[in-house]
Amino acid sequence: MLPGALLAQGMATGTVSRVAHPATIAGAPPADAPYRDATLPIEARVDDLMARLTDEEKARLRHASGGMSSGLIPRIGLPEIRTLDGPNGPRTEPARPVTYFPTAIAYAATWDEALVEAVGRALGRETRGAYAVADVPARMLLGPGANLARSPLGARNFEYFGEDPVLTGKMAAAICRGLQSVKVSPCMKHWVLNDQEWARTILDVDCPERALRELYARPFEIAAKEAGVWAVMGGYNAVRGHWCSHSAEINDLLRSFGFDGAIYSDWGGWRDTVKALNGGATLESGTAGPDPARDRREAEQVRAGLIDPERAHDATRRNLRNLFRMGAFDLATEADKAEQAACERSLRSPEHRALARRVARESAVLLKNDGAFLPRAEKDVRKVALIGPNADQYHSMIDGSPLERRGASGAIHTDREVTPLAAFVERLGRDRVLFAPGFRFENEGRKDAISVPGMPAMDPVEAARQADLVIFCGGLDHSLDREVQGWGLVLPADRPSLALKGPQAELIRRVAAANPNVVVALTTGAPVSVEEWIDAIPALLVTWYPGGEGGLALADLVFGDASPSGRLPYTWGRRLEDWPCHSMGESLAWPGLLTDAKGERLPKPFQARQYYHDGIWVGYRGFDRYGRQPRWPFGFGLSYTTFAIAPAHADPDALRYAVKVRNTGARPGRQVVQCYVSKPESEGQEMPAKELAAFKSVTLAPGEERLVTFDLRPNDFRYWSEAAGAWRIPQAPCAVLIGDSAANLPVRHEARPHK
Ligand code: BGC
């Protein structure tokens, strides 16, 4: 079947299949067969079952059993197992409401691994809880997404964790640990160099080896090593002339991290079974259902050696291992039933709502707060004007919008999304709230609010005049922050520029001229331009896509129930050209070209090509190298309190460094202590001025001081040697820099990782 058709079938309808696979061996294995024994180690169970399978069944296990499912071999007691999109929570198909958590970029902005692991566990519980075992049980979630924000324009940046490989890897590992703790398999994606939407299904990407190793592959390496991630999804794109799912170079790189899990294709990304299996992929995603003729043909191809038998065998083993890890053979055990019942109880539970609200609060980044403008005392505020297109805009599918309009893979069906307008009305009462969208992203011309029916829409300048506090809710929506649907060159793809959507810059200026007490709250997946209006307002909060409790969290922050404690997972540049991939002077660097060096259109299958000329100079690494002053640095975020970071002790040989962190203000708050390494030029290779190696989050009462210790390893200092084609540790002393953003690192120590 054509990839496009497969895509439509899997992605758009999310079908499962109920067609049973005809048994090829009469009779089921005995009830006491070791693989059925949930108390045995998984490897023993895999060994036992492998020995009982026919070649056709082994082939069968290398393909999905439906658009969004796997498993389904009744003879061996393997039920069909449902797969759900995506990184922001289970996208149920057919629609069932789940808790709408903030999107992944917000998790990154918390810089809090424990909190993000709790989110992963909650996402896993919601995944399982949405479908009873008697239905088709759900045990796989298609996330986390771990591509890097090489450019702020990448349309799926909201599904990822920002620009830095260590932050991304740690966050992805935390999500994986959380999901896996409730036997839901992650499918970490998209492996690899799938960092944009433009031409993603026809694009051949290349980059310097050093950038691949140090940046783009690193999150997957971290998740493999720190979370033992169970499954990874190959990208749609090609790398160096081979589709990701067909590329032995790419798939074996993943295996070299000690990864023992399944390698799924993206939906339709498995273009050719022989090439995919020989290339090391293990499972074709999104099929029309069981296909005995295909299984017979494939078994024959393995016997004939057309498909490497070792690769085929390994693929089946890995897929089985994943099914055992998910508990697919243990659904009838009492332990699994109890776990399932707990998951069903936790679906949309008050605990999950509270967690979503906490994440929204702790991910919001306060970028500007002149004269401690925030927080405002609620009792002193007579009237608040909620102005701007995001005051009353849904970002989930709660209003019946199709997934294409709500981010696609990252879209969510929910029954609760509290907009900022609804939250302020709930908190203050209707009489103290004025509403003025100015213009709308959708529903242009509507005269009242959607989330608070009957609430009249005013003129924004008039609303600003009548209020003593203005909350301007702006930014973007999922018409720009979204997965691009379809095959080939689909336009528009990534965001066209850093601009806010619609005439917001002018609207903010007009509103601020009428009333200077303006807080701008931005909903966005990545940096946007603030240059035209930032000087006109006293306070700016970036809330990302804050989920179903986002409006309430915003009110919590504005009125000081909580202090914002998010930190930027991006460097926030001033102009697009600040990002190296946008100033390389050639479009081959971004987004790529449809033509060859002679200007001729590229033939199929790789009809677009791209080279990452920016190499390792991505994010703050690039801003540092080219001396570009960002508006706000990576890792930055203000608080309602203040903190001091001072050296405590350092052991340069043991690579152990401690700092004292003190809350020097009058309110409780959370500080994110960041530890960067700086390496000397080695083997003639230039090194970044600094690179994030570790971070820790501490919550402190006013006046409280805590010791924060970082235990680094020599590998935190390694670099990819271009000459040796291997990792190396610098032979000269390095430096360790500790502080609270990439631009504020007051503690500096020596490090001797080579000793
Ligand atoms: C996306 C994946 C997604 C899959 C299944 C693809 O188009 O790239 O991220 O998980 O569809 O819906």
Side-chain angles (χ1 to χ4, degrees):
M1 197 176 295
L2 287 173
L6 271 180
L7 187 73
Q9 195 181 319
M11 165 77 219
T13 67
T15 50
V16 293
S17 164
R18 288 187 171 275
V19 187
H21 176 59
T24 42
I25 296 180
D32 63 352
Y35 81 87
R36 294 188 194 269
D37 183 350
T39 66
L40 289 180
I42 283 179
E43 289 314 297
R45 300 176 77 187
V46 173
D47 286 343
D48 179 61
L49 184 51
M50 283 296 284
R52 296 174 189 275
L53 294 173
T54 65
D55 290 348
E56 289 73 15
E57 285 168 332
K58 286 182 183 155
R60 168 79 192 78
L61 285 162
R62 296 189 286 261
H63 302 269
S65 53
M68 292 297 262
S69 67
S70 59
L72 192 58
I73 306 187
R75 184 185 80 82
I76 58 170
L78 174 61
E80 185 170 24
I81 300 290
R82 192 186 295 270
T83 296
L84 297 174
D85 253 326
N88 309 321
R91 197 196 72 216
T92 52
E93 299 288 348
R96 289 176 188 197
V98 299
T99 304
Y100 176 23
F101 283 90
T103 73
I105 192 63
Y107 311 156
T110 70
W111 292 61
D112 184 338
E113 290 172 85
L115 179 62
V116 175
E117 184 169 334
V119 173
R121 197 170 307 115
L123 296 181
R125 289 205 179 110
E126 296 256 338
T127 301
R128 280 181 68 166
Y131 296 92
V133 170
D135 189 343
V136 172
R139 295 293 173 102
M140 178 177 248
L141 190 68
L142 300 179
N147 295 107
L148 288 191
R150 187 176 163 240
S151 157
L153 303 186
R156 294 184 81 171
N157 283 345
F158 76 102
E159 290 186 60
Y160 305 144
F161 300 111
E163 71 185 28
D164 182 77
V166 169
L167 182 62
T168 298
K170 300 267 184 196
M171 291 294 138
I175 291 284
C176 292
R177 282 194 299 270
L179 289 171
Q180 291 169 186
S181 73
V182 290
K183 299 210 187 75
V184 170
S185 175
C187 196
M188 188 170 165
K189 62 195 189 182
H190 307 84
W191 174 251
V192 64
L193 302 180
N194 189 173
D195 307 297
Q196 65 180 50
E197 288 300 274
W198 183 84
R200 66 178 179 152
T201 58
I202 52 172
L203 183 67
D204 185 14
V205 185
D206 195 359
C207 74
E209 189 64 19
R210 183 180 181 195
L212 175 64
R213 303 285 180 141
E214 292 187 8
L215 299 191
Y216 298 100
R218 187 112 181 258
F220 294 86
E221 179 175 6
I222 291 171
K225 291 181 174 160
E226 296 186 8
V229 51
W230 293 353
V232 164
M233 184 192 297
Y236 277 129
N237 55 301
V239 173
R240 300 172 180 159
H242 299 278
W243 298 119
C244 283
S245 286
H246 298 181
S247 169
E249 178 193 0
I250 288 307
N251 292 323
D252 288 345
L253 177 59
L254 189 57
R255 284 175 167 79
S256 75
F257 303 148
F259 170 73
D260 68 357
I263 307 180
Y264 281 55
S265 69
D266 202 339
W267 269 238
W270 179 287
R271 279 107 168 156
D272 178 306
T273 290
V274 173
K275 288 184 182 160
L277 288 173
N278 284 339
T282 74
L283 190 138
E284 178 190 17
S285 303
T287 66
D291 181 349
R294 174 207 59 208
D295 299 341
R296 280 194 296 276
R297 190 169 60 245
E298 191 172 311
E300 193 43 54
Q301 287 169 326
V302 174
R303 283 191 290 267
L306 200 62
I307 296 173
D308 177 352
E310 263 181 48
R311 287 286 206 193
H313 190 81
D314 176 62
T316 305
R317 272 197 79 92
R318 284 169 177 265
N319 298 339
L320 271 183
R321 184 180 291 135
N322 199 33
L323 287 162
F324 277 111
R325 283 171 165 166
M326 296 178 211
F329 292 88
D330 307 328
L331 300 177
T333 60
E334 290 310 313
D336 197 272
K337 283 186 196 158
E339 213 172 65
Q340 178 65 24
C343 291
E344 288 174 27
R345 278 196 305 276
S346 71
L347 181 68
R348 304 197 316 276
S349 61
E351 292 74 26
H352 282 186
R353 255 195 220 169
L355 182 61
R357 187 163 173 172
R358 181 174 162 209
V359 174
R361 281 160 38 154
E362 302 202 2
S363 60
V365 186
L366 182 64
L367 288 176
K368 183 174 184 189
N369 197 22
D370 282 359
F373 183 78
L374 286 176
R376 309 305 286 178
E378 183 175 338
K379 61 175 177 31
D380 298 343
V381 177
R382 205 179 28 90
K383 272 192 196 294
V384 177
L386 270 289
I387 300 182
N390 268 327
D392 182 43
Q393 167 73 40
Y394 288 121
H395 297 288
S396 72
M397 297 189 276
I398 192 169
D399 58 354
S401 290
L403 59 93
E404 296 80 8
R405 290 234 315 269
R406 294 291 182 261
S409 297
I412 292 293
H413 286 293
T414 190
D415 56 1
R416 187 176 155 88
E417 180 179 353
V418 185
T419 63
L421 177 65
F424 278 80
V425 166
E426 184 181 315
R427 186 156 177 159
L428 302 177
R430 235 170 141 124
D431 292 349
R432 288 170 72 194
V433 178
L434 304 171
F435 167 58
F439 73 99
R440 288 176 183 273
F441 290 149
E442 297 168 347
N443 306 299
E444 197 51 56
R446 191 177 163 131
K447 297 276 188 292
D448 70 347
I450 292 161
S451 59
V452 184
M455 182 98 188
M458 297 175 65
D459 171 72
V461 171
E462 188 48 37
R465 274 200 199 109
Q466 289 183 22
D468 40 11
L469 174 64
V470 173
I471 315 284
F472 185 93
C473 301
L476 309 177
D477 70 352
H478 285 304
S479 64
L480 291 164
D481 279 326
R482 50 96 169 84
E483 180 201 354
V484 170
Q485 299 283 280
W487 208 259
L489 186 65
V490 181
L491 296 174
D494 300 288
R495 279 163 57 204
S497 75
L498 288 179
L500 294 174
K501 189 176 174 188
Q504 288 183 62
E506 193 206 325
L507 192 55
I508 294 172
R509 282 202 309 255
R510 279 177 48 222
V511 164
N515 182 343
N517 297 325
V518 181
V519 178
V520 172
L522 291 179
T523 298
T524 178
V528 291
S529 174
V530 302
E531 299 306 312
E532 292 173 64
W533 46 267
I534 189 67
D535 294 336
I537 56 137
L540 170 62
L541 265 170
V542 177
T543 63
W544 316 108
Y545 287 88
E549 308 298 312
L552 295 166
L554 178 61
D556 295 343
L557 296 170
V558 167
F559 295 127
D561 300 349
S563 174
S565 59
R567 302 289 184 265
L568 285 178
Y570 296 105
T571 310
W572 199 290
R574 292 165 191 264
R575 317 161 307 146
L576 193 55
E577 298 71 38
D578 288 345
W579 278 268
C581 68
H582 291 287
S583 50
M584 307 301 312
E586 40 176 328
S587 47
L588 185 56
W590 176 278
L593 291 172
L594 296 167
T595 49
D596 64 15
K598 292 194 217 109
E600 308 279 331
R601 279 298 288 262
L602 292 164
K604 285 182 178 175
F606 311 126
Q607 294 169 279
R609 65 193 173 103
Q610 184 183 32
Y611 188 81
Y612 287 13
H613 279 289
D614 46 339
I616 63 162
W617 310 108
V618 171
Y620 58 88
R621 290 165 170 81
F623 278 74
D624 282 345
R625 182 185 197 221
Y626 297 105
R628 293 182 187 148
Q629 283 305 314
R631 172 60 68 173
W632 295 288
F634 176 77
F636 177 76
L638 299 167
S639 165
Y640 294 160
T641 190
T642 47
F643 300 96
I645 299 181
H649 50 255
D651 182 340
D653 293 316
L655 303 177
R656 165 170 272 223
Y657 302 89
V659 291
K660 287 180 286 188
V661 186
R662 189 179 178 78
N663 181 342
T664 50
R667 288 171 169 270
R670 189 173 69 95
Q671 173 63 304
V672 176
V673 190
Q674 302 163 34
C675 176
Y676 295 76
V677 299
S678 179
K679 302 174 280 200
E681 183 178 308
S682 304
E683 295 182 81
Q685 273 179 229
E686 185 183 347
M687 300 289 162
K690 55 181 138 6
E691 294 173 89
L692 184 70
F695 51 90
K696 281 191 180 163
S697 159
V698 273
T699 300
L700 300 171
E704 190 182 349
E705 182 174 280
R706 198 92 59 82
L707 199 68
V708 172
T709 305
F710 293 103
D711 280 304
L712 301 182
R713 300 147 309 169
N715 268 350
D716 292 319
F717 297 82
R718 68 184 188 172
Y719 65 93
W720 183 257
S721 160
E722 281 153 352
W727 291 107
R728 291 275 185 265
I729 307 283
Q731 291 306 298
C734 301
V736 167
L737 314 166
I738 301 173
D740 64 2
S741 83
N744 182 39
L745 299 167
V747 178
R748 187 186 176 98
H749 292 291
E750 195 180 76
R752 293 191 283 271
H754 54 286
K755 288 262 170 90

